[in-house]
Amino acid sequence: MGQTLTYKILAGHLADGKIAPGREIGIRIDQTLTQDATGTTAFLLFESMEAAGVKTKLSVSYVDHNLAGFGPENHNDHLYLQTIAAKSGVYHSRAGNGICHQVHLERFGKPAATLLGSDSHTPTGGAIAMLAIGAGGLDVAVAMAGGPFYLRCPKVLGVKLTGRLNHWVAAKDVILKLLSILSTKGNVGWAVEYLGSAVPTLSVPQRATITNMGAELGVTTSIFPSDEQTEKFLTARKRQTDYQPLAADPDAEYDRLIEINLSELEPMTACPSSPDNVKTVAEIAGLNIGQVVIGSCTNSSFADLMMVAKVLKTRHINNMVELAIAPGSREVLNMLAQNGALADMISAGARILETGCGPCIGQGFSPADGVVSLRTFNRNFPGRSGTTGDRAYLLSPETAVASALTGKITDPRNLPELFGIEFPEIKLPTEFLVDDSMIEKPLSEQDAARVKVLRGPTIVVPEAPKPLPDRLQGKVSIKCGDKITTDHIMPAGPFLKLRSNVPEYAKVVFNCFNEQGKPTFAERALELKQKGFAGIIVAGQSYGQGSSREHAALCPMYLGIRAVIAKSIERIHKANLINFCIVPIEFADPADYDKIKPDEQLQIDNLLEAINSSDEVEIINKTSSLKYLGRLELSDRDREILLSVGLLNYTRKKSRKNN
Ligand code: MIC
Ligand code: SF4
């Protein structure tokens, strides 16, 4: 039987274990990426490992999330990241250079390589056949120090693409279609591999939109083969030497196969407030809108923005719509400036935002109350835009720009009839602008040794976890429902600037559930901690969806949370919990979820013994006298990490043993 592309790259990087679905494996990591919102913690933890410098082939630290800069926090972070990168042999992409995933694809990604990034959209790199995986900052720090990355070997889902995209139907519609089939739940432990006769018709930026939003499916990674399109993409950026063809064997067998005929697709949208709440644009066309934002790591490539500029040329946006455009990288912005497309956007009334994450992570451009906001982003979780009760729709740049012209949700296939706009074929240039002047290269060892790392007062080394007790006596600090995202747990937006200061950031854990005039979650949790109780989070399905932010484990840990009991927990978040010594427990019988109430007292006896050698724990409800069975789905390594009081200690212990 032939091999899938995923398994070929995994096998080529295997450092520990055996390739078989569900088995834990360790893989060598060639490249890492970090961004500023997760990067300061990652580097603070990396520093505490006392590794002289990074051991990967290439590590890049990006500044793209926290650019708003109210107060000194963001700039403190930038200076710390710049100087610690110089000290550690890491490339540093400065603020303004672009979104990590876009720049990484343009400047550093390579077919067949492994990439680990402290951002859930790292699988964007799968567009050029990288095996690219998102993880918590501590996992990335360990990889930077030369350690393998451990994961459960995924099952491989083949997505066979046939037919051809019709005019005005976009790559975004392909991934929204897949989200409508698979949803955001229940895909943990899978990798998605694209194949089929339509693959050669998709450019790398189109593929990147698709692999990027694989994160919303909750899969480990998504990948396309490396072919002529990949070669074209790399050659246009003077990187032809990084190209190599790569594909699954023709007789590769997939654990599941889905077929999507691109010719049958139509414009789609994810309605509020989940990326899998998908409808066709035709179904909701005509809805009045107040805002359109085009950008993010999903849809801000040169090709996307050229499409937008061509539609806007000589036209003007509707007077009830605010349109913002955030190009994904300096390369894109500069090329639009040089070819005049930027002027077309400005003339049409667009507000040009800085190249970076911007409104995607709630940094400005929050919609007014009750107003419909259209976004070409990948996430529309409740409140992520910065407005409580927001009505954010995710859709393609084609649909976004058509709607900006009319002031209503508009199917872009109607543009010829409405405005006489012919479908603009975007011919990508054979040479792109290459300007790495905002990327600082690693220094020589001698120069690196002389660098003074700048640590502003808002950069606080995170507290270490405490050992788990053998008898866990706890209280239910909160009971939440299904699909709790890391945005619910740790809000971004105006609080994003607190990422380097856990005690401050922890004050807003579960902020969206806080009620005015009542003690906050943080206050209640700290009170429990002072009384000697362990905090326990009870949740429904898919707890910890979305971002890789390890603060969603780190801050609760700081508040005394020692266990999460949920119907199911998402991959990256589960790893983050273990890394910070919080026990992830799944209900053996999901119906038990209904039998627990907030504030009830729970007890788990012989916890350490269970972590050491059992797959289950008994949870005694001291308030109601009920008993529940909890599943511990832990690998041997997970168990060791929990018993070693977290990944950092575990790594230190291991390296002491090896020296
Ligand atoms: C996001 O899209 O939610 C983020 C911000 O990029 C996160 C990382 C973070 O929280 O810093 C992600 O996707 O992992
Ligand atoms: Fe940035 Fe948004 Fe992409 Fe996250 S999803 S990396 S916030 S642009």
Side-chain angles (χ1 to χ4, degrees), residues 340-417:
L342 193 62
D344 294 332
M345 294 174 173
I346 296 170
S347 304
R351 292 165 58 185
I352 307 301
L353 306 184
E354 188 167 17
T355 51
C357 299
C360 178
I361 193 61
Q363 301 285 292
F365 229 81
S366 304
D369 290 307
V371 152
V372 170
S373 178
L374 308 189
R375 297 168 167 235
T376 65
F377 306 166
N378 45 37
R379 291 186 173 148
N380 58 348
F381 301 143
R384 182 171 161 101
S385 68
T387 299
T388 309
D390 51 7
R391 298 170 69 195
Y393 290 73
L394 308 175
L395 29 69
S396 69
E398 285 80 348
T399 307
V401 71
S403 310
L405 290 180
T406 61
K408 294 175 193 315
I409 294 187
T410 301
D411 189 326
R413 291 172 302 177
N414 296 334
L415 281 174
E417 194 189 314

Side-chain angles (χ1 to χ4, degrees), residues 606-626:
N606 306 321
L607 177 65
L608 297 181
E609 202 184 303
I611 292 174
N612 192 32
S613 54
S614 172
D615 293 332
E616 47 191 46
V617 283
E618 187 182 57
I619 304 159
I620 309 163
N621 189 329
K622 301 292 276 184
T623 314
S624 67
S625 305
L626 291 172

Side-chain angles (χ1 to χ4, degrees), residues 35 64-65 99-101 119-122 124 212 216 295-298 300 356-362 377-379 384 496 547 549:
Q35 39 86 342
D64 52 0
H65 280 61
I99 307 175
C100 54
H101 309 302
D119 191 284
S120 62
H121 291 104
T122 303
T124 311
N212 175 284
E216 277 52 68
S296 91
C297 55
T298 322
S300 59
C357 299
C360 178
I361 193 61
F377 306 166
N378 45 37
R379 291 186 173 148
R384 182 171 161 101
L496 195 59
S547 133
R549 61 190 72 155

Side-chain angles (χ1 to χ4, degrees), residues 231-402:
E231 186 173 19
K232 241 196 315 196
F233 180 87
L234 293 171
T235 306
R237 288 163 180 82
K238 302 197 172 46
R239 297 214 289 131
Q240 50 274 47
T241 48
D242 286 338
Y243 172 69
Q244 59 166 295
L246 198 65
D249 291 331
D251 57 345
E253 263 186 39
Y254 293 89
D255 297 292
R256 184 180 170 193
L257 199 65
I258 291 180
E259 184 170 334
I260 299 181
N261 183 344
L262 302 194
S263 310
E264 288 169 5
L265 283 187
E266 54 180 304
M268 317 279 270
T269 176
C271 302
S273 293
S274 177
D276 60 358
N277 188 11
V278 176
K279 293 205 165 104
T280 63
V281 170
E283 274 176 271
I284 55 158
L287 192 66
N288 284 336
I289 62 166
Q291 239 195 13
V292 177
V293 197
I294 299 174
S296 91
C297 55
T298 322
N299 274 121
S300 59
S301 67
F302 177 74
D304 281 338
L305 299 192
M306 279 309 294
M307 158 67 63
V308 170
K310 293 224 166 171
V311 172
L312 290 178
K313 195 177 167 78
T314 71
R315 296 185 178 85
H316 203 276
I317 57 169
N318 180 277
N319 69 338
M320 289 310 290
V321 173
E322 289 191 0
L323 168 67
I325 301 175
S329 69
R330 224 166 125 257
E331 171 189 294
V332 173
L333 177 59
N334 226 335
M335 286 177 65
L336 296 175
Q338 290 183 14
N339 73 9
L342 193 62
D344 294 332
M345 294 174 173
I346 296 170
S347 304
R351 292 165 58 185
I352 307 301
L353 306 184
E354 188 167 17
T355 51
C357 299
C360 178
I361 193 61
Q363 301 285 292
F365 229 81
S366 304
D369 290 307
V371 152
V372 170
S373 178
L374 308 189
R375 297 168 167 235
T376 65
F377 306 166
N378 45 37
R379 291 186 173 148
N380 58 348
F381 301 143
R384 182 171 161 101
S385 68
T387 299
T388 309
D390 51 7
R391 298 170 69 195
Y393 290 73
L394 308 175
L395 29 69
S396 69
E398 285 80 348
T399 307
V401 71

Side-chain angles (χ1 to χ4, degrees), residues 538-540 564-569 584-596 614-619 627-633:
V538 173
V564 171
I565 311 176
K567 288 186 187 168
S568 66
I569 306 175
I585 303 172
E586 279 151 285
F587 286 106
D589 177 2
D592 284 342
Y593 166 86
D594 298 318
K595 301 179 192 153
I596 300 187
S614 172
D615 293 332
E616 47 191 46
V617 283
E618 187 182 57
I619 304 159
K627 289 185 181 163
Y628 324 105
L629 209 56
R631 274 189 302 124
L632 291 177
E633 273 211 18

